[in-house]
Structure formats: structure tokens, C-alpha cells
Amino acid sequence: MLDEQAYAGLRVLDMSQGVAGPYCAALLALQGAAVVKVEPPAGDWIRVMGGGEAGMTPLAVASNLGKRSLCIDARQPQGRAAIERLAAQADVLVENFRPGVMDRLGLDATTLCARHPALVYLSISGFGASGPWVDKPGTDSVLQAYTGLAMLNREADGRPRRIAMLVPDTVSALYATQALGAALYARSRSGRGRHVQVSLAECCAAFQAAPIFESALFAGSQAPPTAVPSGVFRTRDGFVTLLVLRQDMWERLCDALGRAEWRTAPDYRDNTARGRNAAALNAAIAAQLAEQPSAHWIATLEAADVLCAEVQDYAQFRDHPQMRHLGAFGELAQPPYRPLPMPYLPGTPRGQPIPPAPATGQHTRAVLAEIGYAADEIAALEHSGVAVQA
């Protein structure tokens, strides 16, 4: 499978921890890159975040698929020497420490890119490489609050609410992967690498480009609704979402609900009027949808060509006939667990097992041997605690 993929032959040194950097490197691995993940002797801190066994939390697994793990202490001269050897062979280096950490280790972009001009060096930070918040920790909750995501997801009473997944880290990994692809494409023409820098704050801004522009455009006034009616509505046995985008869809919804009188009602004549009366309209639709089960309304609304879907949990999503048809989920044989479903990376081959994430230091001896360490040298590094083999 890997021989067919775009990044086959690309060598990636992943020094990052957490989610944003590791998931970026995992995306490269799932497209064929050979990724070595460097972990400190205690392991990546994400291995203790959430439930799971043997350091294989869901976040650690999903963020490290397809990699090999080298567990080594970069604070020690012998550890740094090993990393320098790896960097000399790498096409890409990924790190997401606070600004200044890699400088203190002597593994900063200026130093390594000068030694290895073809190296593409990716730095992911919380708030950028300089400025008043350069040293502020950039966690998910902090970024969701800081960048408006929590306010965008606010409850009906206006209380900000965190989105219940690591959105800043995940979208930053996606933007970072795109930026790396662009840098590698430029290198294919010039032969030179570059230092690519992205921050979680800037990635969250780019991700919210439309609502941020809208907030500025309608500053001091209420922005008009995108579409009315819209929302999640309770049915007799669950929830459905529906959305009306155009006037003809509104008219079809009226017919499907048996509300022909709404077609000509002044309060509902167009989206602007419906926006002024959104609360009353949504309440009326909510009362009607609560009378029948979800399956009834999905069939009714789909027959009328109104945008709708049943609200599903992850198990329903995985087992839905459309996702089965697409082959969207593969089987992940991830020690120490039984085989479990994992989504394939979009655009990659389907039908084959998904490569698992490594245990901490699972490949330490093999990686050190590949970069020229003799067996007795590896044993000495292990004995001194500089290197750890799982």
C-alpha cells in the first residue's frame, strides 16, 4: 500500500508531542512517509490523557498511526547527537515545543537548516514565535476561548461552550500538513527547504474565516440568519436536523408539513421575514416534529427534497449503509486492544489494515542501528537511561 502513496520515500523526524504536531506527522505517515517519532524517556504526555492501556489512549493512537517510536533523552548530549544524525537524513522535521526550547537543545531551525539546506522544518506553536503571548501555553481549551470558537458554539442563553473535541489541534494539524506539502513542492523545484511556522491561534482564525469576516461586516448589528428555519429538532424517538436554503425549498417544506398557509404568510414570505420571526417558526416546527418518529420525518423531508438528517452517534455513523458503501472505516489492530474501527485518511487506498501507532520506544534499537550505532553503543545508551527500548 505505501509504495503507491504520494509520500513514499519521504523521511520525517517527528519531535512533537500532544496532538497538533503528531497528527500532522501521522497524516504524512498514512500517505507513505517513513516517520520516526522521538519521545522522551517518560513518553509523549498525550499517552496519559484519557483512558486506555499501556499509554495507548485514543488521542495517542489516532495521532501516531503508522510511525516508529524512538525513545531518547534529547536533554543529554548523547541523545542530541542521535537526533542530529536523524535530522541529517530527514526531509522533514516536525516540532511543537514552546518557542526557544529547540534553540536551547541546539536543534533549532536556523542551526539545522544551515547544516541541511534541503530540510523542511515545521514549527507549530500556540501563539507564534514572538509577541506578548509567546510563552503562553496554547492548550485546546485556551485556544477555543481565545479565538471565538467557544462563543461561536454558545448555548441559547449566551453562555460560551467548548466544542467537545480538540478542534484547534486538529485543524492546526491539517493546515500544517498543507503548508508542508506546499514547502515540499517548492523544494522539488528549487532543491531548498524552508522553515514553516504555524500557530494554533492563526489556524483557528483561518478555520473561522467566514464568521470572523461576518462579525466585522455586521459589527454593532445583528447579522442576518443564513437560513430559516434551521436547527436540530426533537422527534418522538430522537433528533433530526433540517435546513432550508432557498425559497423553493421553503415551499416544499410547507407542503411536506401540511402548512400550505405558511407559503403566503407575511411573517414567512422570504428568508429575511423568517429571520425576524425565527423563534416562533422554529417553535412551531419543533412542536410538529415531536409528534412523529425520526424515520417518518426523514422519509417525508427527503421526499420533499428538503435538507435533513437524523442525528446519529458514532456507532450509527460507522454502521450506516452509506459509510459501509464508501469503505470509510478500516480495522485497526492496535495492541493491546482487540481490532477496532478507525477511519481511513480521505484520498488514501481502502480495504487494507490501518498501520497501528507504536508503543513508547518500540523501535529505539532498530532506529539507532539504522543511523550507525553499534550494538554495544546502543546498550550503553540504554544502560545510562539516555535511550529506552519498549
Side-chain angles (χ1 to χ4, degrees):
M1 180 177 68
L2 297 182
D3 290 341
E4 302 172 356
Q5 295 186 297
Y7 287 132
L10 190 75
R11 295 162 298 184
V12 178
L13 178 56
D14 177 19
M15 295 194 64
S16 62
Q17 296 188 52
V19 172
Y23 186 48
C24 168
L27 296 178
L28 302 178
L30 291 171
Q31 296 178 84
V35 180
V36 173
K37 177 180 177 66
V38 176
E39 301 189 57
D44 186 338
W45 58 263
I46 203 65
R47 292 186 181 275
V48 298
M49 299 297 291
E53 301 175 29
M56 306 310 284
T57 64
L59 286 171
V61 170
S63 300
N64 291 289
L65 295 171
K67 302 178 187 178
R68 295 191 297 163
S69 173
L70 166 67
C71 190
I72 201 157
D73 191 349
R75 298 169 300 177
Q76 303 300 322
Q78 304 99 312
R80 287 197 297 277
I83 294 171
E84 287 170 0
R85 289 196 198 184
L86 282 166
Q89 299 179 5
D91 298 292
V92 173
L93 185 149
V94 178
E95 64 90 7
N96 65 346
F97 297 105
R98 293 192 205 181
V101 170
M102 293 295 277
D103 299 76
R104 291 192 292 274
L105 293 173
L107 299 170
D108 55 282
T110 300
T111 298
L112 292 183
C113 290
R115 293 178 187 167
H116 315 294
L119 178 67
V120 176
Y121 190 115
L122 170 66
S123 296
I124 302 175
S125 62
F127 299 95
S130 61
W133 271 20
V134 65
D135 294 320
K136 185 176 179 66
T139 64
D140 169 81
S141 295
V142 169
L143 267 297
Q144 288 210 29
Y146 175 67
T147 65
L149 272 167
M151 187 61 72
L152 186 69
N153 193 44
R154 61 186 176 274
E155 298 179 5
D157 63 0
R159 181 183 177 84
R161 179 175 57 180
R162 176 185 170 271
I163 299 169
M165 70 165 287
L166 303 185
V167 175
D169 288 271
T170 304
V171 300
S172 295
L174 296 175
Y175 281 117
T177 305
Q178 183 276 328
L180 276 179
L184 288 168
Y185 177 71
R187 190 185 75 162
S188 72
R189 295 176 295 169
S190 68
R192 298 190 63 82
R194 62 184 64 190
H195 186 197
V196 178
Q197 301 183 71
V198 301
S199 70
L200 272 66
E202 292 166 299
C203 290
C204 287
F207 182 63
Q208 301 177 91
I212 288 174
F213 181 80
E214 180 185 69
S215 73
L217 181 63
F218 296 101
S221 63
Q222 181 66 43
T226 302
V228 180
S230 67
V232 175
F233 299 90
R234 183 183 292 276
T235 67
R236 197 165 69 192
D237 61 353
F239 296 89
V240 299
T241 185
L242 71 83
L243 172 68
V244 169
L245 286 181
R246 303 182 307 272
Q247 187 65 18
D248 61 316
M249 190 178 293
W250 161 248
E251 294 171 358
R252 294 196 300 274
L253 174 64
C254 294
D255 294 341
L257 298 179
R259 300 287 192 132
E261 71 277 10
W262 283 357
R263 280 173 165 254
T264 56
D267 286 348
Y268 303 151
R269 66 178 180 272
D270 55 30
N271 195 62
T272 300
R274 292 192 294 274
R276 290 194 297 267
N277 298 282
L281 177 56
N282 284 329
I285 291 175
Q288 185 168 352
L289 267 57
E291 297 173 356
Q292 297 289 342
S294 296
H296 167 83
W297 290 119
I298 294 300
T300 299
L301 296 171
E302 286 182 344
D305 196 20
V306 174
L307 290 170
C308 64
E310 183 176 5
V311 177
Q312 301 185 135
D313 61 21
Y314 286 146
Q316 292 172 306
F317 177 49
R318 290 194 307 265
D319 292 336
H320 191 274
Q322 181 62 29
M323 301 312 288
R324 288 182 175 275
H325 170 76
L326 294 174
F329 294 90
E331 183 175 89
L332 174 62
Q334 177 65 64
Y337 309 118
R338 69 185 189 280
L340 292 169
M342 176 69 72
Y344 284 108
L345 181 66
T348 60
R350 309 294 171 91
Q352 297 195 33
I354 294 173
T360 305
Q362 181 177 341
H363 307 96
T364 294
R365 292 172 190 159
V367 172
L368 290 174
E370 289 171 9
I371 57 175
Y373 283 84
D376 60 336
E377 292 177 305
I378 296 172
L381 290 173
E382 289 187 63
H383 181 74
S384 65
V386 173
V388 177
Q389 169 71 40

